[in-house]
């Protein structure tokens, strides 16, 4: 299983040969089949707080966590499409563990993009090497998608900043070593005056409180955070003061493409489980995939998957060319998350009553993937972004 790591050390910054992407896909698919799928149910019990550390550490060792990150910070120096393929394959094996493991680096993207060299070495490299986990704290209890209404504040006090407020839906927070936290530093209207900070989770006054019980993605822990007089040094500011929201939006373009890859992987996994079931299940004297009704369902599912993959890969390639492509990123995220729910729902339908039981994995694919229409900006937010960028369509 060391193939991807060795490839990463030899890889060019940009791939021109799709054979190299095929090698990555085959290697990651084998990892997913052997290491992720067999333990998927173990991390899906309500109330459990377990995080798949063993898989996270293996993924780091094999170079799966940050393939497009620079090698000096623990990455493999590959292209962004390689990262998309890895997210797709992890979530094909199991969306719960796939999201948990790959989300444990959520926040490093902003540090890599806007942070200092010291910050990258202190906070990014240990995550990609499997020694630390991180997360982000952006959403607030009364805010949701309205980041401009942020109430959490950061006040300068000498060489430190004092943070006050609360966050919810803080990804990976119950197991993270640090969080990237957004807070208001200037009382400006709209989106100005917000700054990003690195906050270690053991900081006094920074408390990870109620763990949120979720419909799916139970391997990826999420919680509410209380912040009361939490002090962080000035060198923990990520990027420019008062520019945090704009940094976040730039970072969202990247992460919306990644979210689309997560959704696509779940759709592909559900599709293949449904197809295999249809080839084996007999009714009225023949396998049910011989009935035209089932064939049409599978054909529709395949069409949606391949259409989603086309726009997703196009967005990834534009990102590799240095084009943040907000229009393509939002189209990929919006369309892929929508068709994933449809594909997973049809996978349950093909299984009939068994699809509603925990005896087959398709019900879990549905539960785990439903959130994709909400995270990284809801489908409604994506349609707003698409509308605002209509002039980019030739």
């Amino acid at each position: 299983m060391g193939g991807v790591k060795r490839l990463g050390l030899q890889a060019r910054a940009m791939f021109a040969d799709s054979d190299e992407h095929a090698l990555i896909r085959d290697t990651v698919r084998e990892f997913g089949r052997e290491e992720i799928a067999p333990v998927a149910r173990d991390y899906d019990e309500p109330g459990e707080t377990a995080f798949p550390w063993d898989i996270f550490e293996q993924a780091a060792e094999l170079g799966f966590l940050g393939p497009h990150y620079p090698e000096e910070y623990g990455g493999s120096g590959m292209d962004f499409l390689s990262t998309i393929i890895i997210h797709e394959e992890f979530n094909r094996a199991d969306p719960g563990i796939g999201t948990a493991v790959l989300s444990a680096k959520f926040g490093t993207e902003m540090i890599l993009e806007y942070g200092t060299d010291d910050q990258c070495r202190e906070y990014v490299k240990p995550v990609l090497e499997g020694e630390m986990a991180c997360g982000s704290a952006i959403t607030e209890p009364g805010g949701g998608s309205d980041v401009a209404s942020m109430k959490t504040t950061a006040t300068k006090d000498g060489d430190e900043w004092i943070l006050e407020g609360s966050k919810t839906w803080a990804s990976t927070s119950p197991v993270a070593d640090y969080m990237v936290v957004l807070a208001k530093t200037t009382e400006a209207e709209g989106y100005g005056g917000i700054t990003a900070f690195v906050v270690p989770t053991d900081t006094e006054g920074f408390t990870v409180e109620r763990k949120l019980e979720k419909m799916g993605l139970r391997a990826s822990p999420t919680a509410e955070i209380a912040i009361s007089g939490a002090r962080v040094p000035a060198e923990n500011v990520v990027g420019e003061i008062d520019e945090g929201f704009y940094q976040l939006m730039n970072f969202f373009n990247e992460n919306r493409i990644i979210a689309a890859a997560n959704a696509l992987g779940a759709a592909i996994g559900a599709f293949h489980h449904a197809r295999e079931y249809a080839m084996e299940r007999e009714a009225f004297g023949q396998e049910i995939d011989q009935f035209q009704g089932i064939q049409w369902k599978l054909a529709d599912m395949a069409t949606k998957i391949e259409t989603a993959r086309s726009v997703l890969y196009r967005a990834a390639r534009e990102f590799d060319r240095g084009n943040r492509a907000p229009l393509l990123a939002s189209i990929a995220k919006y369309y892929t998350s929508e068709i994933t729910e449809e594909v997973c729902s049809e996978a349950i339908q093909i299984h009939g009553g068994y699809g509603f039981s925990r005896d087959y994995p398709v019900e879990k694919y549905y539960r785990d993937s439903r959130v994709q229409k909400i995270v990284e900006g809801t489908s409604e937010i994506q349609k707003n972004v698409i509308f605002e960028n209509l002039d980019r369509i030739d």
Side-chain angles (χ1 to χ4, degrees), residues 302-321:
T303 299
K304 291 173 181 177
I305 286 170
E306 288 305 316
T307 303
R309 178 181 274 138
S310 294
V311 69
L312 169 61
Y313 283 22
R314 182 183 170 196
R317 291 187 185 280
E318 284 298 314
F319 190 91
D320 274 326
R321 295 187 182 103

Side-chain angles (χ1 to χ4, degrees), residues 111-179:
I111 299 173
L112 182 69
E113 180 80 14
Y114 297 103
T116 65
D117 178 71
D118 287 343
Q119 287 176 336
C120 289
R121 294 186 185 280
E122 183 175 357
Y123 296 112
V124 176
K125 190 173 183 181
V127 172
L128 300 189
E129 292 178 346
E131 298 171 358
M132 297 170 63
C134 75
S136 64
I138 301 168
T139 304
E140 299 192 351
S145 298
D146 184 10
V147 180
S149 67
M150 184 172 296
K151 304 299 182 185
T152 300
T153 61
T155 306
K156 190 75 180 295
D157 182 27
D159 293 332
E160 295 181 317
W161 289 87
I162 305 174
L163 276 65
E164 301 276 353
S166 61
K167 300 289 184 179
T168 190
W169 295 107
S171 62
T172 319
S173 53
V175 298
D177 294 277
Y178 70 88
M179 305 289 289

Side-chain angles (χ1 to χ4, degrees), residues 20-343:
E20 295 177 76
H21 291 112
L23 174 61
I24 293 172
R25 185 183 300 280
D26 291 344
T27 306
V28 181
R29 185 170 298 177
E30 180 184 355
F31 179 81
R33 184 168 54 246
E34 294 181 356
E35 305 296 336
I36 297 176
V39 297
R41 283 290 181 188
D42 297 344
Y43 293 93
D44 188 50
E45 296 304 317
E48 290 295 318
T49 58
F51 175 81
W53 282 111
D54 54 340
I55 297 176
F56 177 71
E57 291 167 359
Q58 290 181 66
E61 182 180 352
L62 294 170
F64 294 159
L65 297 185
H68 70 290
Y69 284 43
E71 292 181 36
E72 61 264 35
Y73 301 137
S76 300
M78 299 182 184
D79 62 358
F80 186 57
L81 181 56
S82 300
T83 292
I84 293 307
I85 291 170
I86 290 171
H87 275 259
E88 179 187 327
E89 291 298 328
F90 264 59
N91 282 269
R92 170 181 172 147
D94 177 63
I97 292 178
T99 298
V101 169
L102 298 174
S103 291
K105 65 178 179 63
F106 189 68
T108 60
E109 296 94 338
M110 185 181 289
I111 299 173
L112 182 69
E113 180 80 14
Y114 297 103
T116 65
D117 178 71
D118 287 343
Q119 287 176 336
C120 289
R121 294 186 185 280
E122 183 175 357
Y123 296 112
V124 176
K125 190 173 183 181
V127 172
L128 300 189
E129 292 178 346
E131 298 171 358
M132 297 170 63
C134 75
S136 64
I138 301 168
T139 304
E140 299 192 351
S145 298
D146 184 10
V147 180
S149 67
M150 184 172 296
K151 304 299 182 185
T152 300
T153 61
T155 306
K156 190 75 180 295
D157 182 27
D159 293 332
E160 295 181 317
W161 289 87
I162 305 174
L163 276 65
E164 301 276 353
S166 61
K167 300 289 184 179
T168 190
W169 295 107
S171 62
T172 319
S173 53
V175 298
D177 294 277
Y178 70 88
M179 305 289 289
V180 174
V181 180
L182 263 61
K184 273 277 190 179
T185 44
T186 299
E187 283 300 323
E189 294 184 1
Y191 299 111
I194 294 173
T195 303
F197 298 86
V198 172
V199 182
T201 52
D202 62 358
T203 299
E204 186 176 355
F206 187 88
T207 307
V208 178
E209 294 196 315
R210 186 173 69 93
K211 178 178 178 288
L212 299 175
E213 298 297 340
K214 299 176 295 187
M215 171 181 173
L217 298 185
R218 292 170 178 159
S220 182
T222 310
E224 295 176 343
I225 292 176
I227 309 172
S228 178
R231 289 178 172 266
V232 296
E235 58 263 30
N236 283 32
V237 171
V238 180
E240 300 295 326
I241 294 173
D242 292 345
E243 294 294 316
F245 174 80
Y246 304 105
Q247 294 172 186
L248 178 67
M249 290 300 100
N250 197 28
F251 158 59
F252 265 161
N253 288 331
E254 174 181 350
N255 228 56
R256 282 168 178 165
I257 302 173
I258 289 175
N262 293 342
L264 178 63
I268 293 171
F271 167 78
H272 282 287
H273 281 293
R275 187 178 180 216
E276 290 168 8
Y277 181 84
M279 293 170 64
E280 297 170 357
R281 176 80 163 98
E282 291 188 5
F284 303 100
Q286 61 181 347
E287 291 81 9
I288 64 172
D289 73 335
Q290 298 303 304
F291 294 104
Q292 190 176 66
I294 298 297
Q295 293 172 353
W296 283 6
K297 285 183 182 295
L298 292 169
D300 283 341
M301 293 159 76
T303 299
K304 291 173 181 177
I305 286 170
E306 288 305 316
T307 303
R309 178 181 274 138
S310 294
V311 69
L312 169 61
Y313 283 22
R314 182 183 170 196
R317 291 187 185 280
E318 284 298 314
F319 190 91
D320 274 326
R321 295 187 182 103
N323 178 10
R324 292 287 176 173
L327 176 64
L328 279 176
S330 284
I331 289 175
K333 200 275 178 183
Y334 166 59
Y335 182 76
T336 305
S337 63
E338 292 287 327
I339 67 99
T340 294
E341 183 185 14
E342 297 166 7
V343 168

